[in-house]
Amino acid sequence: MTDKIFRVNMSTLTTSVEEVPAEWAGHGGRGLTSTIVAAEVNPTCHPLGSANKLVIAPGLLSGTVAANSGRISIGAKSPLTGTIKESNAGGTAAQLLARAGCKAIIIEGVPGEDKWYSLALTPEGITINEETELIGKGNFEVLSVLDSRLEGKQAVLTIGQAGEMRLAAANISIKDPDGGLRSSGRGGLGAVMGSKKIKFITIDPKDGKVAIADPDKFKQANRVFAKALVDHPISQGLGQYGTNVLVNIINEAGGLPTRNFTSGQFDGHEAISGETMHDTILERGGKVKHNCHAGCVIQCSQVYHDAKKEKLTSGFEYESIWAMGADCCVDNLDHIAEADRIMDDIGIDTIETSVAMGVAMEGGVLEFGDGAGVCRILKEEVASGSALGRIIGNGAGAVGRAFGLTRVPVVKNQAIPAYDPRAIKGIGITYATSTQGADHTMGYTIATNILNVGGNVDPLTKEGQVELSRNLQVATAAIDSTGMCLFIAFAALDNETCLPALVDMLNARFDLNLTGDDVVSLGQSILKTERAFNSAAGFTAADDRLPEFFYTEPLPPHNTVFDFSDEEIATFWDF
Amino acid sequence: MRVTIKLFAYFRDSRFKAENREIPDGTTVGEIVDSLGIDREEVGVLMINSRHAAFDSVLEENCMLAIFPMIGGG
Ligand code: SF4
């Protein structure tokens, strides 16, 4: 079965299944969403208007047995940043979409009538159905109602109240294999889906399978690849402690943004650390290891129970825990877990919303450390769409403007995540130059700045940071196109069998002769495509900057500032 | 002289989280790691007073040594 483009026009309420244009054929995941958005979306359009398009694409290897290949890319022009956006997530959608023979879903237009809809995709095509029952409901209720409505194991992508309200921090939630949620969190893509009045999308691949040109070669390459992943000690640590193993090491390095980015260390770090979380999960009978999609051999996810030993949340990530924890000075993991669950239910980005909460604390809305207050505001204000709730739900930048603050940690209006760029300078280059606003996943220099993976570059000096960020951003753009989870990068940076095996799988799947160099050029061209979109949308080099306070307020304990000149930052684009 | 040693992740198992120790002048990080029965191969990151260090780094009075296995996330 050759893959097709499934197109949905919400203005006319019509759908079609189209051949894949030749120039899109070699793309998948982020490469494809960005290529399509760049080709079809007017860069100056309003992100919530009819000219924006929501593009959903599985990676090139999604739907196959390749380890860790089930990540989905969702793209559009972002209502949060105004830039091009790709947000990457796990869950079952990528695999089932690929098995349904779908290269990408393109959703365009907005309905004329004030009605809500759902989309149902099968290998035959996609249908638009009016939805009434689930409007105004949170994501968990959507999942449970759909469980009884749908036959078989279908993938579900859904928005909560935040998406319906078109809040700029709204995410798109994706069902995981156990009925939990994973999120295409960043950049407000849930608001784009909400603007198109789509509450949820279901995917039923029937008995569809992904065609592999050379199955034997594929299997063999996957064996080498999976072994490289499993053997890497970092993969093992991720399985045991989750990504939250980072709290203590980033704190130790003095780069854990605390109290709305005024310190690099948090007194309560131990209470919210991966080590404590691991022990708590064991004690309460949760799951230490869990995967966001079948076929993941690393299993960084987990199921966290409350004190009554009932499931509270899953996929409890370092960045969410840092944001609600250190950044808001909440040192109670149960409050953070409850906030995480509420945010998953409302369908709002845990990073953006929690950083917004930290800014709101500085603005006097509530006290730093008030975890119960955070949960209350999420439930009573954000979920219901009160004026305060909408300000917070529009992200850290919106809160900063509403309260007249200057310490507002955003780049291109997207909240800076869990690593302070004054103490870990490489990540500052990534935040500044990323085509999508501040995002650690775009070029994870923490690997080399802090974790000694792929060599080491001193986090506190400027030396080598631009090159490090560039190399990682290029590699990441390529990896994000394969459907691979980014955590393959640790093995890829350290084990020389890993990347060639990945390239072999691409070749075996599509009957190609790609080399490592082709993968690098793919990454470069994706970054250039994204940047060209942003330039046409009005962004210039002057937008590739961190907020002023990072240049002027030294961060304890190292008491350093971010000190790259504009010219130094600009050299990032020399390729 | 006195130093504080902090261990992380599974290095804590049947050892400790943090401990103060009296050590002779000139003790290196590697010697401490060996004395704890930690395989050097398993060590991912070493920090003295929040700065990256190496096995041959020499400890100083009142410093804080942090020893991590290979870990990652993101
Ligand atoms: S390592 Fe974590 S994020 Fe990656 S595929 Fe596995 S569970 Fe998902």
Side-chain angles (χ1 to χ4, degrees), chain A residues 391-414:
Chain A
I391 290 171
I392 291 174
N394 273 306
V399 175
R401 283 189 293 279
F403 289 86
L405 302 172
T406 55
R407 197 179 296 107
V408 186
V410 296
V411 178
K412 301 186 177 78
N413 201 43
Q414 179 162 282

mmCIF file with all atom_site columns, all heavy atoms in Angstrom, chain A residues 391-414:
data_model
loop_
_atom_site.group_PDB
_atom_site.id
_atom_site.type_symbol
_atom_site.label_atom_id
_atom_site.label_alt_id
_atom_site.label_comp_id
_atom_site.label_asym_id
_atom_site.label_entity_id
_atom_site.label_seq_id
_atom_site.pdbx_PDB_ins_code
_atom_site.Cartn_x
_atom_site.Cartn_y
_atom_site.Cartn_z
_atom_site.occupancy
_atom_site.B_iso_or_equiv
_atom_site.pdbx_formal_charge
_atom_site.auth_seq_id
_atom_site.auth_comp_id
_atom_site.auth_asym_id
_atom_site.auth_atom_id
_atom_site.pdbx_PDB_model_num
ATOM 1   N N   . ILE A 1 391 ? -5.583 34.138 31.107 1.00 0.00 ? 391 ILE A N   1
ATOM 2   C CA  . ILE A 1 391 ? -4.267 34.798 31.051 1.00 0.00 ? 391 ILE A CA  1
ATOM 3   C C   . ILE A 1 391 ? -3.170 33.759 31.289 1.00 0.00 ? 391 ILE A C   1
ATOM 4   O O   . ILE A 1 391 ? -2.204 33.662 30.526 1.00 0.00 ? 391 ILE A O   1
ATOM 5   C CB  . ILE A 1 391 ? -4.179 35.938 32.089 1.00 0.00 ? 391 ILE A CB  1
ATOM 6   C CG1 . ILE A 1 391 ? -5.085 37.090 31.667 1.00 0.00 ? 391 ILE A CG1 1
ATOM 7   C CG2 . ILE A 1 391 ? -2.731 36.438 32.211 1.00 0.00 ? 391 ILE A CG2 1
ATOM 8   C CD1 . ILE A 1 391 ? -5.241 38.185 32.716 1.00 0.00 ? 391 ILE A CD1 1
ATOM 9   N N   . ILE A 1 392 ? -3.354 32.923 32.308 1.00 0.00 ? 392 ILE A N   1
ATOM 10  C CA  . ILE A 1 392 ? -2.355 31.887 32.585 1.00 0.00 ? 392 ILE A CA  1
ATOM 11  C C   . ILE A 1 392 ? -2.296 30.890 31.429 1.00 0.00 ? 392 ILE A C   1
ATOM 12  O O   . ILE A 1 392 ? -1.220 30.471 30.997 1.00 0.00 ? 392 ILE A O   1
ATOM 13  C CB  . ILE A 1 392 ? -2.665 31.190 33.930 1.00 0.00 ? 392 ILE A CB  1
ATOM 14  C CG1 . ILE A 1 392 ? -2.413 32.184 35.079 1.00 0.00 ? 392 ILE A CG1 1
ATOM 15  C CG2 . ILE A 1 392 ? -1.825 29.931 34.111 1.00 0.00 ? 392 ILE A CG2 1
ATOM 16  C CD1 . ILE A 1 392 ? -2.816 31.697 36.444 1.00 0.00 ? 392 ILE A CD1 1
ATOM 17  N N   . GLY A 1 393 ? -3.454 30.534 30.912 1.00 0.00 ? 393 GLY A N   1
ATOM 18  C CA  . GLY A 1 393 ? -3.516 29.562 29.820 1.00 0.00 ? 393 GLY A CA  1
ATOM 19  C C   . GLY A 1 393 ? -2.963 30.085 28.512 1.00 0.00 ? 393 GLY A C   1
ATOM 20  O O   . GLY A 1 393 ? -2.778 29.321 27.558 1.00 0.00 ? 393 GLY A O   1
ATOM 21  N N   . ASN A 1 394 ? -2.714 31.373 28.451 1.00 0.00 ? 394 ASN A N   1
ATOM 22  C CA  . ASN A 1 394 ? -2.075 31.914 27.256 1.00 0.00 ? 394 ASN A CA  1
ATOM 23  C C   . ASN A 1 394 ? -0.569 31.986 27.405 1.00 0.00 ? 394 ASN A C   1
ATOM 24  O O   . ASN A 1 394 ? 0.124  32.508 26.531 1.00 0.00 ? 394 ASN A O   1
ATOM 25  C CB  . ASN A 1 394 ? -2.666 33.264 26.886 1.00 0.00 ? 394 ASN A CB  1
ATOM 26  C CG  . ASN A 1 394 ? -3.888 33.077 25.991 1.00 0.00 ? 394 ASN A CG  1
ATOM 27  O OD1 . ASN A 1 394 ? -3.808 32.410 24.964 1.00 0.00 ? 394 ASN A OD1 1
ATOM 28  N ND2 . ASN A 1 394 ? -5.028 33.605 26.405 1.00 0.00 ? 394 ASN A ND2 1
ATOM 29  N N   . GLY A 1 395 ? -0.066 31.457 28.530 1.00 0.00 ? 395 GLY A N   1
ATOM 30  C CA  . GLY A 1 395 ? 1.375  31.264 28.639 1.00 0.00 ? 395 GLY A CA  1
ATOM 31  C C   . GLY A 1 395 ? 2.092  32.310 29.459 1.00 0.00 ? 395 GLY A C   1
ATOM 32  O O   . GLY A 1 395 ? 1.524  33.328 29.890 1.00 0.00 ? 395 GLY A O   1
ATOM 33  N N   . ALA A 1 396 ? 3.379  32.021 29.684 1.00 0.00 ? 396 ALA A N   1
ATOM 34  C CA  . ALA A 1 396 ? 4.212  32.852 30.551 1.00 0.00 ? 396 ALA A CA  1
ATOM 35  C C   . ALA A 1 396 ? 4.293  34.287 30.043 1.00 0.00 ? 396 ALA A C   1
ATOM 36  O O   . ALA A 1 396 ? 4.254  35.243 30.832 1.00 0.00 ? 396 ALA A O   1
ATOM 37  C CB  . ALA A 1 396 ? 5.611  32.239 30.644 1.00 0.00 ? 396 ALA A CB  1
ATOM 38  N N   . GLY A 1 397 ? 4.395  34.461 28.736 1.00 0.00 ? 397 GLY A N   1
ATOM 39  C CA  . GLY A 1 397 ? 4.505  35.801 28.165 1.00 0.00 ? 397 GLY A CA  1
ATOM 40  C C   . GLY A 1 397 ? 3.257  36.618 28.451 1.00 0.00 ? 397 GLY A C   1
ATOM 41  O O   . GLY A 1 397 ? 3.328  37.808 28.800 1.00 0.00 ? 397 GLY A O   1
ATOM 42  N N   . ALA A 1 398 ? 2.094  35.983 28.322 1.00 0.00 ? 398 ALA A N   1
ATOM 43  C CA  . ALA A 1 398 ? 0.827  36.675 28.562 1.00 0.00 ? 398 ALA A CA  1
ATOM 44  C C   . ALA A 1 398 ? 0.732  37.114 30.018 1.00 0.00 ? 398 ALA A C   1
ATOM 45  O O   . ALA A 1 398 ? 0.290  38.236 30.317 1.00 0.00 ? 398 ALA A O   1
ATOM 46  C CB  . ALA A 1 398 ? -0.355 35.760 28.202 1.00 0.00 ? 398 ALA A CB  1
ATOM 47  N N   . VAL A 1 399 ? 1.158  36.249 30.931 1.00 0.00 ? 399 VAL A N   1
ATOM 48  C CA  . VAL A 1 399 ? 1.112  36.599 32.352 1.00 0.00 ? 399 VAL A CA  1
ATOM 49  C C   . VAL A 1 399 ? 2.057  37.768 32.625 1.00 0.00 ? 399 VAL A C   1
ATOM 50  O O   . VAL A 1 399 ? 1.712  38.721 33.320 1.00 0.00 ? 399 VAL A O   1
ATOM 51  C CB  . VAL A 1 399 ? 1.480  35.383 33.233 1.00 0.00 ? 399 VAL A CB  1
ATOM 52  C CG1 . VAL A 1 399 ? 1.558  35.786 34.700 1.00 0.00 ? 399 VAL A CG1 1
ATOM 53  C CG2 . VAL A 1 399 ? 0.465  34.262 33.050 1.00 0.00 ? 399 VAL A CG2 1
ATOM 54  N N   . GLY A 1 400 ? 3.254  37.700 32.049 1.00 0.00 ? 400 GLY A N   1
ATOM 55  C CA  . GLY A 1 400 ? 4.224  38.779 32.237 1.00 0.00 ? 400 GLY A CA  1
ATOM 56  C C   . GLY A 1 400 ? 3.678  40.112 31.773 1.00 0.00 ? 400 GLY A C   1
ATOM 57  O O   . GLY A 1 400 ? 3.833  41.138 32.449 1.00 0.00 ? 400 GLY A O   1
ATOM 58  N N   . ARG A 1 401 ? 2.995  40.110 30.626 1.00 0.00 ? 401 ARG A N   1
ATOM 59  C CA  . ARG A 1 401 ? 2.432  41.365 30.109 1.00 0.00 ? 401 ARG A CA  1
ATOM 60  C C   . ARG A 1 401 ? 1.275  41.837 30.990 1.00 0.00 ? 401 ARG A C   1
ATOM 61  O O   . ARG A 1 401 ? 1.176  43.019 31.333 1.00 0.00 ? 401 ARG A O   1
ATOM 62  C CB  . ARG A 1 401 ? 1.967  41.179 28.660 1.00 0.00 ? 401 ARG A CB  1
ATOM 63  C CG  . ARG A 1 401 ? 3.121  41.169 27.655 1.00 0.00 ? 401 ARG A CG  1
ATOM 64  C CD  . ARG A 1 401 ? 2.639  41.209 26.208 1.00 0.00 ? 401 ARG A CD  1
ATOM 65  N NE  . ARG A 1 401 ? 1.928  40.003 25.828 1.00 0.00 ? 401 ARG A NE  1
ATOM 66  C CZ  . ARG A 1 401 ? 2.525  38.863 25.470 1.00 0.00 ? 401 ARG A CZ  1
ATOM 67  N NH1 . ARG A 1 401 ? 3.852  38.777 25.429 1.00 0.00 ? 401 ARG A NH1 1
ATOM 68  N NH2 . ARG A 1 401 ? 1.808  37.796 25.144 1.00 0.00 ? 401 ARG A NH2 1
ATOM 69  N N   . ALA A 1 402 ? 0.433  40.874 31.402 1.00 0.00 ? 402 ALA A N   1
ATOM 70  C CA  . ALA A 1 402 ? -0.740 41.265 32.196 1.00 0.00 ? 402 ALA A CA  1
ATOM 71  C C   . ALA A 1 402 ? -0.329 41.875 33.532 1.00 0.00 ? 402 ALA A C   1
ATOM 72  O O   . ALA A 1 402 ? -1.012 42.753 34.054 1.00 0.00 ? 402 ALA A O   1
ATOM 73  C CB  . ALA A 1 402 ? -1.646 40.051 32.428 1.00 0.00 ? 402 ALA A CB  1
ATOM 74  N N   . PHE A 1 403 ? 0.806  41.405 34.096 1.00 0.00 ? 403 PHE A N   1
ATOM 75  C CA  . PHE A 1 403 ? 1.206  41.894 35.411 1.00 0.00 ? 403 PHE A CA  1
ATOM 76  C C   . PHE A 1 403 ? 2.385  42.861 35.361 1.00 0.00 ? 403 PHE A C   1
ATOM 77  O O   . PHE A 1 403 ? 2.941  43.217 36.395 1.00 0.00 ? 403 PHE A O   1
ATOM 78  C CB  . PHE A 1 403 ? 1.486  40.706 36.349 1.00 0.00 ? 403 PHE A CB  1
ATOM 79  C CG  . PHE A 1 403 ? 0.223  39.976 36.731 1.00 0.00 ? 403 PHE A CG  1
ATOM 80  C CD1 . PHE A 1 403 ? -0.299 38.975 35.927 1.00 0.00 ? 403 PHE A CD1 1
ATOM 81  C CD2 . PHE A 1 403 ? -0.471 40.343 37.875 1.00 0.00 ? 403 PHE A CD2 1
ATOM 82  C CE1 . PHE A 1 403 ? -1.482 38.331 36.257 1.00 0.00 ? 403 PHE A CE1 1
ATOM 83  C CE2 . PHE A 1 403 ? -1.661 39.703 38.218 1.00 0.00 ? 403 PHE A CE2 1
ATOM 84  C CZ  . PHE A 1 403 ? -2.174 38.692 37.404 1.00 0.00 ? 403 PHE A CZ  1
ATOM 85  N N   . GLY A 1 404 ? 2.782  43.261 34.162 1.00 0.00 ? 404 GLY A N   1
ATOM 86  C CA  . GLY A 1 404 ? 3.824  44.280 34.035 1.00 0.00 ? 404 GLY A CA  1
ATOM 87  C C   . GLY A 1 404 ? 5.179  43.848 34.587 1.00 0.00 ? 404 GLY A C   1
ATOM 88  O O   . GLY A 1 404 ? 5.846  44.615 35.273 1.00 0.00 ? 404 GLY A O   1
ATOM 89  N N   . LEU A 1 405 ? 5.587  42.631 34.275 1.00 0.00 ? 405 LEU A N   1
ATOM 90  C CA  . LEU A 1 405 ? 6.843  42.110 34.822 1.00 0.00 ? 405 LEU A CA  1
ATOM 91  C C   . LEU A 1 405 ? 7.941  42.091 33.764 1.00 0.00 ? 405 LEU A C   1
ATOM 92  O O   . LEU A 1 405 ? 7.659  42.056 32.562 1.00 0.00 ? 405 LEU A O   1
ATOM 93  C CB  . LEU A 1 405 ? 6.612  40.689 35.346 1.00 0.00 ? 405 LEU A CB  1
ATOM 94  C CG  . LEU A 1 405 ? 5.517  40.570 36.417 1.00 0.00 ? 405 LEU A CG  1
ATOM 95  C CD1 . LEU A 1 405 ? 5.231  39.107 36.718 1.00 0.00 ? 405 LEU A CD1 1
ATOM 96  C CD2 . LEU A 1 405 ? 5.922  41.314 37.684 1.00 0.00 ? 405 LEU A CD2 1
ATOM 97  N N   . THR A 1 406 ? 9.191  42.118 34.225 1.00 0.00 ? 406 THR A N   1
ATOM 98  C CA  . THR A 1 406 ? 10.304 42.020 33.270 1.00 0.00 ? 406 THR A CA  1
ATOM 99  C C   . THR A 1 406 ? 10.988 40.661 33.313 1.00 0.00 ? 406 THR A C   1
ATOM 100 O O   . THR A 1 406 ? 11.648 40.281 32.369 1.00 0.00 ? 406 THR A O   1
ATOM 101 C CB  . THR A 1 406 ? 11.374 43.091 33.570 1.00 0.00 ? 406 THR A CB  1
ATOM 102 O OG1 . THR A 1 406 ? 11.784 42.955 34.929 1.00 0.00 ? 406 THR A OG1 1
ATOM 103 C CG2 . THR A 1 406 ? 10.845 44.481 33.322 1.00 0.00 ? 406 THR A CG2 1
ATOM 104 N N   . ARG A 1 407 ? 10.868 39.955 34.444 1.00 0.00 ? 407 ARG A N   1
ATOM 105 C CA  . ARG A 1 407 ? 11.515 38.639 34.503 1.00 0.00 ? 407 ARG A CA  1
ATOM 106 C C   . ARG A 1 407 ? 10.552 37.601 33.955 1.00 0.00 ? 407 ARG A C   1
ATOM 107 O O   . ARG A 1 407 ? 9.872  36.890 34.679 1.00 0.00 ? 407 ARG A O   1
ATOM 108 C CB  . ARG A 1 407 ? 11.934 38.304 35.939 1.00 0.00 ? 407 ARG A CB  1
ATOM 109 C CG  . ARG A 1 407 ? 12.956 37.182 35.983 1.00 0.00 ? 407 ARG A CG  1
ATOM 110 C CD  . ARG A 1 407 ? 13.423 36.821 37.377 1.00 0.00 ? 407 ARG A CD  1
ATOM 111 N NE  . ARG A 1 407 ? 14.133 37.905 38.035 1.00 0.00 ? 407 ARG A NE  1
ATOM 112 C CZ  . ARG A 1 407 ? 13.623 38.616 39.033 1.00 0.00 ? 407 ARG A CZ  1
ATOM 113 N NH1 . ARG A 1 407 ? 12.429 38.359 39.492 1.00 0.00 ? 407 ARG A NH1 1
ATOM 114 N NH2 . ARG A 1 407 ? 14.328 39.581 39.592 1.00 0.00 ? 407 ARG A NH2 1
ATOM 115 N N   . VAL A 1 408 ? 10.508 37.547 32.646 1.00 0.00 ? 408 VAL A N   1
ATOM 116 C CA  . VAL A 1 408 ? 9.559  36.672 31.956 1.00 0.00 ? 408 VAL A CA  1
ATOM 117 C C   . VAL A 1 408 ? 10.359 35.748 31.039 1.00 0.00 ? 408 VAL A C   1
ATOM 118 O O   . VAL A 1 408 ? 10.827 36.169 29.983 1.00 0.00 ? 408 VAL A O   1
ATOM 119 C CB  . VAL A 1 408 ? 8.546  37.511 31.134 1.00 0.00 ? 408 VAL A CB  1
ATOM 120 C CG1 . VAL A 1 408 ? 7.481  36.597 30.541 1.00 0.00 ? 408 VAL A CG1 1
ATOM 121 C CG2 . VAL A 1 408 ? 7.902  38.582 32.000 1.00 0.00 ? 408 VAL A CG2 1
ATOM 122 N N   . PRO A 1 409 ? 10.550 34.504 31.459 1.00 0.00 ? 409 PRO A N   1
ATOM 123 C CA  . PRO A 1 409 ? 11.463 33.619 30.738 1.00 0.00 ? 409 PRO A CA  1
ATOM 124 C C   . PRO A 1 409 ? 10.836 32.998 29.492 1.00 0.00 ? 409 PRO A C   1
ATOM 125 O O   . PRO A 1 409 ? 10.356 31.867 29.523 1.00 0.00 ? 409 PRO A O   1
ATOM 126 C CB  . PRO A 1 409 ? 11.784 32.537 31.789 1.00 0.00 ? 409 PRO A CB  1
ATOM 127 C CG  . PRO A 1 409 ? 10.579 32.506 32.678 1.00 0.00 ? 409 PRO A CG  1
ATOM 128 C CD  . PRO A 1 409 ? 9.999  33.880 32.673 1.00 0.00 ? 409 PRO A CD  1
ATOM 129 N N   . VAL A 1 410 ? 10.846 33.735 28.402 1.00 0.00 ? 410 VAL A N   1
ATOM 130 C CA  . VAL A 1 410 ? 10.324 33.213 27.131 1.00 0.00 ? 410 VAL A CA  1
ATOM 131 C C   . VAL A 1 410 ? 11.262 33.595 25.991 1.00 0.00 ? 410 VAL A C   1
ATOM 132 O O   . VAL A 1 410 ? 11.957 34.601 26.076 1.00 0.00 ? 410 VAL A O   1
ATOM 133 C CB  . VAL A 1 410 ? 8.915  33.783 26.807 1.00 0.00 ? 410 VAL A CB  1
ATOM 134 C CG1 . VAL A 1 410 ? 7.885  33.341 27.838 1.00 0.00 ? 410 VAL A CG1 1
ATOM 135 C CG2 . VAL A 1 410 ? 8.936  35.304 26.712 1.00 0.00 ? 410 VAL A CG2 1
ATOM 136 N N   . VAL A 1 411 ? 11.299 32.784 24.963 1.00 0.00 ? 411 VAL A N   1
ATOM 137 C CA  . VAL A 1 411 ? 11.925 33.181 23.709 1.00 0.00 ? 411 VAL A CA  1
ATOM 138 C C   . VAL A 1 411 ? 10.890 32.972 22.613 1.00 0.00 ? 411 VAL A C   1
ATOM 139 O O   . VAL A 1 411 ? 10.260 31.916 22.538 1.00 0.00 ? 411 VAL A O   1
ATOM 140 C CB  . VAL A 1 411 ? 13.185 32.355 23.381 1.00 0.00 ? 411 VAL A CB  1
ATOM 141 C CG1 . VAL A 1 411 ? 13.771 32.782 22.033 1.00 0.00 ? 411 VAL A CG1 1
ATOM 142 C CG2 . VAL A 1 411 ? 14.224 32.493 24.486 1.00 0.00 ? 411 VAL A CG2 1
ATOM 143 N N   . LYS A 1 412 ? 10.700 34.001 21.809 1.00 0.00 ? 412 LYS A N   1
ATOM 144 C CA  . LYS A 1 412 ? 9.623  34.000 20.809 1.00 0.00 ? 412 LYS A CA  1
ATOM 145 C C   . LYS A 1 412 ? 8.305  33.645 21.493 1.00 0.00 ? 412 LYS A C   1
ATOM 146 O O   . LYS A 1 412 ? 7.492  32.876 20.979 1.00 0.00 ? 412 LYS A O   1
ATOM 147 C CB  . LYS A 1 412 ? 9.945  33.063 19.643 1.00 0.00 ? 412 LYS A CB  1
ATOM 148 C CG  . LYS A 1 412 ? 11.249 33.456 18.919 1.00 0.00 ? 412 LYS A CG  1
ATOM 149 C CD  . LYS A 1 412 ? 11.522 32.625 17.671 1.00 0.00 ? 412 LYS A CD  1
ATOM 150 C CE  . LYS A 1 412 ? 12.769 33.109 16.953 1.00 0.00 ? 412 LYS A CE  1
ATOM 151 N NZ  . LYS A 1 412 ? 14.026 32.662 17.567 1.00 0.00 ? 412 LYS A NZ  1
ATOM 152 N N   . ASN A 1 413 ? 8.162  34.169 22.701 1.00 0.00 ? 413 ASN A N   1
ATOM 153 C CA  . ASN A 1 413 ? 6.951  34.019 23.521 1.00 0.00 ? 413 ASN A CA  1
ATOM 154 C C   . ASN A 1 413 ? 6.705  32.595 24.027 1.00 0.00 ? 413 ASN A C   1
ATOM 155 O O   . ASN A 1 413 ? 5.647  32.307 24.568 1.00 0.00 ? 413 ASN A O   1
ATOM 156 C CB  . ASN A 1 413 ? 5.702  34.526 22.777 1.00 0.00 ? 413 ASN A CB  1
ATOM 157 C CG  . ASN A 1 413 ? 4.586  34.862 23.747 1.00 0.00 ? 413 ASN A CG  1
ATOM 158 O OD1 . ASN A 1 413 ? 4.831  35.473 24.793 1.00 0.00 ? 413 ASN A OD1 1
ATOM 159 N ND2 . ASN A 1 413 ? 3.373  34.442 23.441 1.00 0.00 ? 413 ASN A ND2 1
ATOM 160 N N   . GLN A 1 414 ? 7.658  31.694 23.870 1.00 0.00 ? 414 GLN A N   1
ATOM 161 C CA  . GLN A 1 414 ? 7.474  30.340 24.413 1.00 0.00 ? 414 GLN A CA  1
ATOM 162 C C   . GLN A 1 414 ? 8.350  30.182 25.657 1.00 0.00 ? 414 GLN A C   1
ATOM 163 O O   . GLN A 1 414 ? 9.529  30.568 25.662 1.00 0.00 ? 414 GLN A O   1
ATOM 164 C CB  . GLN A 1 414 ? 7.818  29.286 23.378 1.00 0.00 ? 414 GLN A CB  1
ATOM 165 C CG  . GLN A 1 414 ? 7.663  27.851 23.913 1.00 0.00 ? 414 GLN A CG  1
ATOM 166 C CD  . GLN A 1 414 ? 7.587  26.818 22.813 1.00 0.00 ? 414 GLN A CD  1
ATOM 167 O OE1 . GLN A 1 414 ? 6.552  26.634 22.171 1.00 0.00 ? 414 GLN A OE1 1
ATOM 168 N NE2 . GLN A 1 414 ? 8.696  26.139 22.566 1.00 0.00 ? 414 GLN A NE2 1
#
